[in-house]
Amino acid sequence: MRMRISSERIEEVVVRAVFQDGLDELASKLNERELFTGKAQASYAMLDQEGHGTIYYGLGKESDLTPYLILKLFVQLAKLLDKLAIHRVHLELPEVIGKDEAKLSQAILGLQLAAYRFDTYKSKPENKQTELEISLEVEAPIEETANLAAGVFTARDLVNRRPNDLYPASLAAHVRQLFANSQVEVEILEKSEIEALGMEAFLAVNQGSDHEPRFIVMKYLPKADEQPIALVGKGVTYDSGGYAIKPASSMKAMHSDMAGAAAVVGAMEAISSNQLPCNVIGVIAATENLIDGKAFKNGDIVGSMKGSTIEVNNTDAEGRLTLADALYYAATKLEPRAIVDLATLTGAAIAAVSGKCTAMIASDDSLAQAVLQASEAAAEPTQRLLAFPSHYEQIKGTYADLDNSPAGGGGCITAGVFLEHFTEDLPWVHLDIAGPSYNGTGYDYLPKGASGTGVMTLYHWIKSQK
């Protein structure tokens, strides 16, 4: 489905979005006849033989309205219209949405997000490309939300691509092509340059792959003499688990293990397209984690760009090794004022906060609160987990400085404090998106497959920066 939103009124079909506790006279009569309640996603169509007329669409109770519910309601409205084969409508919104910039933006974004399809590998795509045109009487930030939706779609597309198609070099090529005619400067380091930087932890993960690693840096610097914000994304384009090999059922979706990197790419696209006045640099350490005679092993001890040594007690805890060098690079080479990283890092995050929520570990309370507020505005549920001194003790190694997979539980938190070791005391937030980044069914406003989780949170947070 392609989406077009305009201010030129469409007369054929009018969609009236109404609250359950704010029904107009006709909707009240329909409610009395039990034809339309106004509950969230309830609908009733009154169309003539030509398909013209009025459709009522329920928004639920006004007091229940949240950014998450708005996004869900308007994604589902667009899908309803597509299902009914209605392609041109005028949308009437209640004042509480139409005259509130944040709520209106979220509603428009929902309509735009509903247009996502991924049929790249279909010889005969199942979903025909229909067009939905919607007119509004209110001024709407259509271009801004369209650019944000495009960033989400980019992230979804990258995650949905399969590992024989997307590997470190091709990911780097996608990034270079995406930003070819933009304000984003792209630098791509190849293996020899990565070796020169001493990124031994990152390189250890790559040892078993025929595809050489790439280190990708994206710089958007619209303001002179301002410290940037660094966004770091885990970029493991396929994770077999290494010698701590995953079962087939767990491995089949491991093309999604670069969802953190995809979120950073998508966020950089949205931030630069909307010309947000904030310096931002995105960083990705891209590799595969595979097995051959050269692959790193459980029990190895490896170095890092920082110089800290690491006991590899689990080759399937590889993401933190790649991020260790990426975070240290960001902290020491980019001189940022804050760092946020995103990673499909641990199954423990799903156990802790569920598969529909992002887990947060943070070193700075004010930064954590700002990112949490952004996640709420973005409709990307996030829960902060607190680290205690015992967690820092857990990650200490026996024969090296650090243990990449310590015993004792709290795996989501210990993974986070492991990463913190490489942030050089800068304000830092870690977002473990292992749960919501990819799903097998689709739910609420999210499609089956890649969700693009993190793009909207990063965008809202960067937009809030002064």
Side-chain angles (χ1 to χ4, degrees):
M1 177 183 12
R2 292 187 293 269
M3 180 72 59
R4 192 159 76 89
I5 300 172
S6 68
S7 58
E8 185 176 343
R9 186 181 175 95
I10 294 169
E11 301 291 347
E12 296 98 306
V13 179
V14 174
V15 175
R16 290 178 180 161
V18 295
F19 289 111
Q20 184 178 349
D21 43 2
L23 302 179
D24 62 21
E25 183 178 354
L26 179 54
S28 296
K29 290 180 179 179
L30 292 172
N31 186 32
E32 290 172 5
R33 297 173 61 189
E34 300 183 351
L35 296 173
F36 176 73
T37 63
K39 292 181 180 179
Q41 293 181 237
S43 63
Y44 187 76
M46 299 176 292
L47 305 176
D48 61 23
Q49 290 181 338
E50 295 181 350
H52 298 173
T54 300
I55 298 174
Y56 277 99
Y57 184 69
L59 302 177
K61 295 180 180 179
E62 183 178 338
S63 59
D64 292 339
L65 205 62
T66 63
Y68 190 99
L69 182 58
I70 294 172
L71 209 58
K72 175 183 175 181
L73 286 169
F74 286 89
V75 166
Q76 295 301 328
L77 172 58
K79 290 183 176 181
L80 172 66
L81 295 173
D82 189 48
K83 183 179 179 180
L84 295 173
I86 296 172
H87 307 306
R88 286 171 49 83
V89 302
H90 178 74
L91 177 58
E92 293 182 355
L93 296 169
E95 287 190 359
V96 71
I97 294 177
K99 292 190 176 182
D100 183 299
E101 183 179 352
K103 291 184 176 69
L104 178 60
S105 294
Q106 197 75 339
I108 299 303
L109 179 61
L111 295 171
Q112 292 164 331
L113 287 176
Y116 183 73
R117 298 288 186 274
F118 185 79
D119 52 18
T120 299
Y121 302 117
K122 296 279 189 179
S123 58
K124 296 181 180 178
E126 295 174 3
N127 297 305
K128 61 181 180 180
Q129 285 292 320
T130 58
E131 181 169 295
L132 176 60
E133 184 178 357
I134 297 175
S135 66
L136 295 164
E137 290 180 349
V138 294
E139 292 270 339
I142 295 168
E143 184 177 359
E144 180 186 9
T145 54
N147 287 334
L148 178 52
V152 174
F153 291 176
T154 290
R156 289 177 181 176
D157 282 350
L158 288 172
V159 175
N160 280 327
R161 286 187 175 274
R162 292 321 195 240
N164 57 324
D165 182 21
L166 193 79
Y167 41 88
S170 63
L171 173 60
H174 277 289
V175 172
R176 191 181 291 283
Q177 182 178 17
L178 177 67
F179 295 117
N181 299 302
S182 74
Q183 291 181 268
V184 178
E185 176 189 342
V186 177
E187 181 182 9
I188 298 170
L189 306 184
E190 298 193 359
K191 187 176 181 179
S192 60
E193 296 166 291
I194 296 167
E195 289 172 334
L197 287 167
M199 294 186 174
E200 295 179 27
F202 174 32
L203 289 164
V205 177
N206 182 251
Q207 285 174 195
S209 175
D210 287 340
H211 288 294
E212 291 191 349
R214 294 291 187 272
F215 195 81
I216 305 166
V217 181
M218 299 158 281
K219 296 181 179 180
Y220 170 70
L221 304 172
K223 299 184 74 174
D225 302 321
E226 180 186 87
Q227 278 186 287
I229 287 168
L231 307 178
V232 180
K234 176 184 171 183
V236 178
T237 59
Y238 190 74
D239 180 22
S240 70
Y243 277 108
I245 194 165
K246 299 176 185 288
S249 59
S250 299
M251 205 188 299
K252 65 181 181 181
M254 281 298 102
H255 58 87
S256 68
D257 212 20
M258 42 65 69
V264 170
V265 175
M268 293 295 295
E269 179 182 6
I271 290 163
S272 60
S273 294
N274 285 327
Q275 299 183 337
L276 297 189
C278 182
N279 290 347
V280 186
I281 302 178
V283 175
I284 298 167
T287 182
E288 295 177 320
N289 182 24
L290 296 176
I291 297 172
D292 73 359
K294 301 186 296 296
F296 76 139
K297 300 170 289 296
N298 299 304
D300 281 356
I301 292 179
V302 301
S304 64
M305 184 179 175
K306 181 172 180 174
S308 298
T309 56
I310 304 163
E311 294 177 24
V312 180
N313 288 317
N314 185 349
T315 60
D316 197 23
E318 86 300 329
R320 66 201 71 182
L321 300 178
T322 68
L323 286 168
D325 285 337
L327 286 167
Y328 187 74
Y329 176 93
T332 59
K333 299 294 185 181
L334 304 180
E335 300 181 353
R337 53 191 167 108
I339 303 174
V340 174
D341 80 74
L342 301 90
T344 48
L345 204 62
T346 67
I350 299 173
V353 300
S354 89
K356 296 182 178 181
C357 185
T358 293
M360 172 192 287
I361 312 295
S363 66
D364 184 273
D365 289 341
S366 61
L367 177 60
Q369 187 58 33
V371 176
L372 284 170
Q373 289 174 349
S375 73
E376 183 177 0
E380 294 183 331
T382 302
Q383 177 66 51
R384 185 181 182 185
L385 302 177
L386 298 180
F388 295 97
S390 60
H391 294 114
Y392 293 88
E393 288 297 316
Q394 269 180 269
I395 66 167
K396 290 181 179 179
T398 302
Y399 302 103
D401 300 327
L402 300 171
D403 182 339
N404 85 318
S405 185
C412 178
I413 300 173
T414 56
V417 299
F418 179 97
L419 298 181
E420 185 182 354
H421 177 81
F422 297 91
T423 61
E424 299 302 281
D425 298 320
L426 288 168
W428 159 82
V429 160
H430 162 62
L431 298 175
D432 192 330
I433 59 173
S437 63
Y438 194 86
N439 71 87
T441 58
Y443 60 91
D444 294 344
Y445 70 83
L446 296 175
K448 180 179 179 179
S451 66
T453 290
V455 173
M456 296 187 292
T457 293
L458 293 177
Y459 181 83
H460 279 274
W461 174 55
I462 295 297
K463 187 178 178 181
S464 74
Q465 299 302 295
K466 305 300 182 184

